[in-house]
Structure formats: C-alpha cells, structure tokens
Amino acid sequence: MTASRPWRPPWRLPRALVRALIAAFALVLVGAVVMALAGQDWSVVSVMLARSDGGRIGLLLAGALLVSMAGLGFGYLAWRAVLFELGPPVGEPRVARVFFVTFLSKYVPGKVPGLIAATKVATANGVSFGRLMGTAALSMSLVLLTGLTIGLLAGVHMLGTQVVWLVAAATVAIVVVLVRPQLVNHGAHLVLRLLRRPDPDRSASPRGIRFAVVAQAVSWLVTGLHLWLLAIAMGADPVRSLGLCVGAFTLATTVGMLTVVLPDGIGVREAVLTAALTVVLPAPAAAVVAVASRLVSTVGEVALGAAALAVAEVVIRRTPASEPLSEPEAEPAAVAEPAQAGDK
C-alpha cells in the first residue's frame, strides 16, 4: 500500500497563541463536563433510595458506577490495541491522554472544536492525524459490530424466539471477523476514502484485530452490568433481567451512536432502554432506571477520564524531556511520509 503524506495544516500559529488556545479549550472542556453533570437528573437517586434499604441500594449504585468505569477501561484497551497496530509505540501516559481528551470532548457542543482539540493533542503526543483517523474508523467499526451483536440479546427477550435468526446472523458476522480480520481493515479504508481522510500507512494485524474485537465485546458486556444492577435496585428479578439489561444497554447505546443528529444519543437511548426494561419492570420504574443509567454512565466517564488524565499528566511531567514521544517511523521513500491514527 502506498504511504500517504501525513496531514498538516496549511498554516502555523504562533506558539504563544497555540498555548492560549489549548488553555481555553481545557477550560471549555471542564465547563462542558461540569454542565453535563449538573444537567443530569439526580432525583432518580433519591427515588431509588426510597424504595428499600438505603444501604443495599447504595451498594448497588456504587457497583453500577464501578462496572461502568471498568467497561470503559476495556473499551480503552480495544482502542489502544488498534492505535498500536497502526503505528509505532507511544508512551502509555500519552496514549491515555489522547484517548480521554478525545473521549471527553464529546461533551463540548459542536463536533468541530472537539475534532480540532483531539487532533492537536494527538499530534503533540506522537500520534499523527492520519493515524488518529484510521484508529477512529477501525475502532468505530468494531464498536458497532460488537454492539449490534450483543444488543440483539435484548431483542430475544423483547420479541421472543422469532428474532433468534438475527442473533445467529450477528454471531456469524463476529466469527467471520475473527477468522478473516482483514475484512475490518478493508472496511475502515473504505470509510476513510469516503470521508476523504488519509489512510494510515499500516494495516492492523489479524492478531491485533482479534484482540480489539474481544476487548470491545467484553467492554459491552461489563458496562451493561450497570443497567442490571440499577434494574435490581428497582425490583427486577436478577436472573430474568441479566441478559435483557446487558443487551438493552448495548443496543440502546449503539442506536444512539448511529443517531448522529443527537449528542450522545440523548433521548433515543433512554427510549430504547425504557421500552426494553418494561419486560421486567413497570413502565415508571423502567423510566427511572433509564435515566439513572445516563447519570451513572456520565459520572463514570468523567471520574475515570479525570483520574486517567491526572495520572498521565503527573507521569509525563516526571518523564525526562529528552525522551522521545514514540519510536521513529521509517520513511519508505522520499515522497512517502508516515501517517497515523487515534476513540468508548
């Protein structure tokens, strides 16, 4: 595959202005995150606590928060695996910085500021624009593939055995990807061409894609457990609701991602969750769980992202300034320069 030139802006801003813009975006990001937390419906917590023993409900809420954060951690591992497949190694703290800044940028209104910030953070930490876009395209394809497959678990509970063939078809798709991982590379390159974005100069290896598929599937399964714990807190049967809750959360989140006109699938996700949860809960209780799921997910994302960025910042500042950001990339020819990529 012919290597493409890395994307570079046609202008260069003064360093002082760049630093000022970075500081301004950091403040905007913090403000957006604070507003996202303040905009959540915190009253659902008191509704849950009022149902039964406060200590038991508190443990269920804490457990829901922890598994939500753990699920995001597995999503990070899947994204990281793809990033490392598409370019030379990058220091772990810098990888975490790129991922979580990019991830939390979804709370900033508008797509453009977040994309610009993600690109700047990535290039400043050894990940080029091409590599960032390649990782995003490949990771998103794996997120949607595994999400729709696991999400069909909810369909079986809601619609009965008549949709079992959909689960079988989705499972076959996962198996095909695990057997022929190169198909994912082809799909990602096609998406990048349609978007007129540069291709990464490397393709992910079969082993790397398989690891990313498994890690992303585990991410969905673990994250979905938070909805199960919340449903139990509202009186759902633990055995009957397990598969439904994991599948419903995965399906609702995936459908929300596909609804690009709504930020983070707000409204769509809650509607799908409420409809699915009415199988095991009364409609009012199902609505409470759907709203509580958004609250727990948001708090978990912000808490894990803030902690990861804080640790990364401390480690990076203690790293000698002379240490390279990444291993040097070999340029295959005088006219061919490396491209790179970069994602829950």
Side-chain angles (χ1 to χ4, degrees):
M1 180 174 60
T2 303
S4 57
R5 290 182 177 274
W7 180 86
R8 291 190 180 92
W11 66 87
R12 290 183 65 86
L13 297 176
R15 180 169 297 182
L17 179 57
V18 170
R19 289 178 177 175
L21 291 174
I22 292 174
F25 179 79
L27 291 175
V28 170
L29 179 59
V30 171
V33 167
V34 171
M35 289 181 64
L37 290 174
Q40 299 299 309
D41 187 354
W42 291 84
S43 65
V44 294
V45 176
S46 60
V47 171
M48 288 186 164
L49 291 174
R51 281 190 60 86
S52 62
D53 177 58
R56 174 178 172 272
I57 300 300
L59 288 175
L60 288 172
L61 288 172
L65 180 61
L66 289 176
V67 296
S68 179
M69 295 168 66
L72 178 57
F74 281 106
Y76 165 74
L77 292 179
W79 181 90
R80 172 182 175 275
V82 174
L83 178 74
F84 282 2
E85 286 291 321
L86 300 182
V90 179
E92 191 67 46
R94 296 186 182 278
V95 174
R97 177 193 270 175
V98 175
F99 176 81
F100 284 104
V101 168
T102 303
F103 185 80
L104 293 178
S105 293
K106 70 179 183 177
Y107 292 110
V108 177
K111 300 290 185 182
V112 175
L115 178 60
I116 294 175
T119 301
K120 180 60 183 176
V121 170
T123 53
N125 287 274
V127 178
S128 72
F129 179 76
R131 188 177 178 186
L132 183 69
M133 292 297 101
T135 301
L138 191 54
S139 297
M140 183 55 67
S141 64
L142 297 180
V143 166
L144 295 177
L145 175 65
T146 55
L148 290 173
T149 301
I150 297 173
L152 289 174
L153 288 172
V156 174
H157 286 77
M158 295 171 65
L159 304 177
T161 56
Q162 58 264 39
V163 298
V164 168
W165 67 273
L166 287 175
V167 179
T171 303
V172 169
I174 290 287
V175 172
V176 169
V177 168
L178 293 175
V179 174
R180 296 294 301 275
Q182 299 86 344
L183 295 174
V184 178
N185 280 320
H186 297 329
H189 289 311
L190 176 61
V191 170
L192 289 172
R193 290 193 185 101
L194 292 175
L195 296 176
R196 297 187 177 183
R197 301 298 185 186
D199 284 339
D201 66 332
R202 301 185 189 182
S203 294
S205 69
R207 180 181 179 183
I209 291 177
R210 291 186 183 110
F211 176 86
V213 168
V214 172
Q216 186 57 56
V218 172
S219 173
W220 283 123
L221 293 171
V222 173
T223 308
L225 291 176
H226 90 274
L227 187 71
W228 178 58
L229 294 174
L230 294 175
I232 292 174
M234 290 300 291
D237 178 76
V239 176
R240 187 181 174 211
S241 61
L242 177 57
L244 173 69
C245 287
V246 172
F249 174 78
T250 305
L251 181 63
T253 305
T254 305
V255 171
M257 290 179 182
L258 295 173
T259 313
V260 294
V261 295
L262 298 174
D264 207 21
I266 292 177
V268 173
R269 175 171 142 182
E270 284 72 17
V272 174
L273 284 180
T274 301
L277 289 168
T278 53
V279 175
V280 294
L281 287 171
V288 169
V289 173
V291 174
S293 172
R294 173 74 69 176
L295 173 62
V296 168
S297 297
T298 302
V299 173
E301 290 170 1
V302 172
L304 182 59
L309 288 174
V311 172
E313 204 63 34
V314 171
V315 174
I316 290 172
R317 290 181 181 276
R318 291 182 177 179
T319 301
S322 58
E323 186 172 309
L325 298 181
S326 64
E327 292 183 3
E329 296 186 63
E331 296 192 20
V335 295
E337 300 180 24
Q340 309 175 22
D343 207 306
K344 175 236 181 80

